[in-house]
Amino acid sequence: MQAQAATHSECIGQFEPTVLVHGGAGDIADSGIPLKKLGVKRAARRGYEALIKSGSVLDAVEGAVNSLEEDVNFNAGNGSVLTWDGDVEMDASIMNGATLEAGCVSLARDIINPISLARRIMETTRHRYIAGEGAMNIAMESENFKILQKGALVTEAAQKSLENYKASLNRTRSKRESQIYGSPGTVGAVAIDACGNVAAATSTGGITGKLSGRIGDSPILGGGTYADNETAAVSATGHGETIMRYNVVSRMLALVQHANHTAQEAAERVLNEMTQRFDETAGIIAIDHRGRLGIHFTSKRMSWAYQRGEELHFGVDAGEDQLEIVGEPRVPPL
Ligand code: GLY
């Protein structure tokens, strides 16, 4: 039987509460950097505020990912890329590291926040993964989800990206070129509270030009997402087919659990090995069971940010770590 997890307020001082987010790994253009940075900073702050106010790492990762899903500059929710047929089909998953409870959804349509649907699946059904019509029925039965008109999530930018992708395939079958236009930009968040409870969440529109019904790594536990208080919370981004074939997140967790790696060491080792073996790139954010952060990508860039206390760190390029001092949200009285 699992022990009842201690609450955030009972553990003040044991771990430093932190919310770390990513806005996707890939070829981010120079012109896109300011909005990516703004978006990940905003998401980290929203997640951190939720963590401090409610003490819940699930609220933290859901809030952070909601912020990125609502922002058209990221490939999730409002900014989702399109299938070959020009539709939006989204995947998401959320996991609680204290209980190993999880909720996963695929082929979600016409809602802005698939991560909240994944959480609803976790909290209100006896299943852990529901796709397509069944998942949308759960959204429709809940007053928490606004069901948009068909096509409302299709943006001009995503249409242009699909056109460019199709044109690139006509010109060449080069894998590298198709990656540029099909560039993934999944979003994710990991969080730790003062007791060492962790959670992870990942949400995505997938990859541009994917076949209808294609599911990527993001909703696959151990593929693109996982959280376990005894090892780490992890969210991956990049080429989903490769990430799931290499079982990226499971490999990382095994290194933390059995080889005493830090989150950073494990992220670097697994992603570098994956990229060497498959010639494909990806990114990872992680917080391990000792509260240590891992941020690594083998793509050209990955937008990320984290808030810990008054410090808001963020970056896009390899080795970049900018710091802003922000106000810490007020802790409500006990
Ligand atoms: N990593 C997101 C996807 O490939 O769907």
Side-chain angles (χ1 to χ4, degrees):
M1 203 157 103
Q2 269 166 347
Q4 185 73 33
T7 61
H8 179 83
S9 54
E10 287 165 357
C11 305
I12 299 294
Q14 289 184 22
F15 289 84
E16 281 190 276
T18 307
V19 178
L20 167 61
V21 308
H22 71 75
D27 291 331
I28 300 167
D30 291 352
S31 59
I33 290 177
L35 286 174
K36 292 279 188 194
K37 284 184 175 169
L38 190 67
V40 288
K41 286 195 290 181
R42 195 189 285 142
R45 291 195 70 178
R46 181 153 151 197
Y48 189 79
E49 188 168 337
L51 178 58
I52 297 309
K53 288 207 166 132
S54 77
S56 158
V57 281
L58 284 174
D59 289 351
V61 294
E62 182 186 5
V65 169
N66 282 164
S67 176
L68 294 160
E69 288 173 330
E70 286 154 19
D71 186 334
V72 288
N73 297 298
F74 297 91
N75 173 19
N78 274 331
S80 290
V81 299
L82 303 181
T83 65
W84 185 265
D85 302 321
D87 295 324
V88 168
E89 294 181 351
M90 300 168 288
D91 300 333
S93 65
I94 189 164
M95 187 158 186
N96 180 347
T99 59
L100 305 190
E101 284 294 349
C104 312
V105 64
S106 283
L107 312 178
R109 299 164 167 269
D110 309 324
I111 55 169
I112 296 170
N113 297 123
I115 200 66
S116 300
L117 182 53
R119 184 166 179 184
R120 192 152 183 91
I121 288 167
M122 172 173 82
E123 291 177 344
T124 66
T125 80
R126 64 185 190 282
H127 304 300
R128 292 296 158 262
Y129 196 158
I130 301 184
E133 202 184 326
M136 292 317 298
N137 287 341
I138 293 168
M140 281 185 258
E141 282 160 14
S142 161
E143 57 197 28
N144 296 342
F145 296 92
K146 184 169 173 211
I147 309 297
L148 306 171
Q149 293 217 317
K150 189 169 163 30
L153 289 176
V154 175
T155 63
E156 266 180 44
Q159 280 173 323
K160 185 85 202 137
S161 188
L162 180 61
E163 277 166 29
N164 289 342
Y165 175 65
K166 288 183 175 178
S168 82
L169 290 183
N170 290 337
R171 277 202 307 276
T172 169
R173 290 268 162 194
S174 144
K175 190 166 73 172
R176 279 281 154 232
E177 186 153 6
S178 69
Q179 268 183 352
I180 292 167
Y181 294 109
S183 146
T186 300
V187 306
V190 290
I192 188 166
D193 71 8
C195 306
N197 294 308
V198 298
T202 311
S203 182
T204 187
I207 53 174
T208 296
K210 65 184 182 180
L211 297 181
S212 178
R214 175 267 190 191
I215 294 167
D217 61 300
S218 306
I220 310 282
L221 302 179
T225 309
Y226 205 82
D228 181 354
N229 280 6
E230 293 182 11
T231 48
V234 190
S235 172
T237 161
H239 187 247
E241 281 70 8
T242 309
I243 294 171
M244 68 170 102
R245 281 169 69 204
Y246 202 55
N247 219 344
V248 160
V249 171
S250 288
R251 284 178 191 256
M252 243 203 84
L253 295 171
L255 290 173
V256 172
Q257 185 161 17
H258 303 299
N260 211 19
H261 280 46
T262 64
Q264 186 64 32
E265 288 164 350
E268 286 179 17
R269 181 161 164 192
V270 172
L271 283 191
N272 294 346
E273 285 173 359
M274 186 205 89
T275 296
Q276 227 173 15
R277 197 147 163 197
F278 290 85
D279 193 24
E280 292 281 2
T281 64
I284 275 180
I285 56 167
I287 302 181
D288 69 29
H289 59 113
R290 290 174 57 188
R292 298 167 300 201
L293 307 187
I295 303 167
H296 186 60
F297 49 97
T298 51
S299 50
K300 184 175 165 201
R301 288 175 163 146
M302 178 178 82
S303 55
W304 61 269
Y306 72 86
Q307 185 168 357
R308 177 173 264 178
E310 294 193 335
E311 291 193 0
L312 181 66
H313 292 255
F314 58 98
V316 164
D317 284 304
E320 182 180 6
D321 182 357
Q322 292 190 52
L323 171 63
E324 281 175 14
I325 302 300
V326 293
E328 202 168 342
R330 211 172 60 79
V331 183
L334 296 176

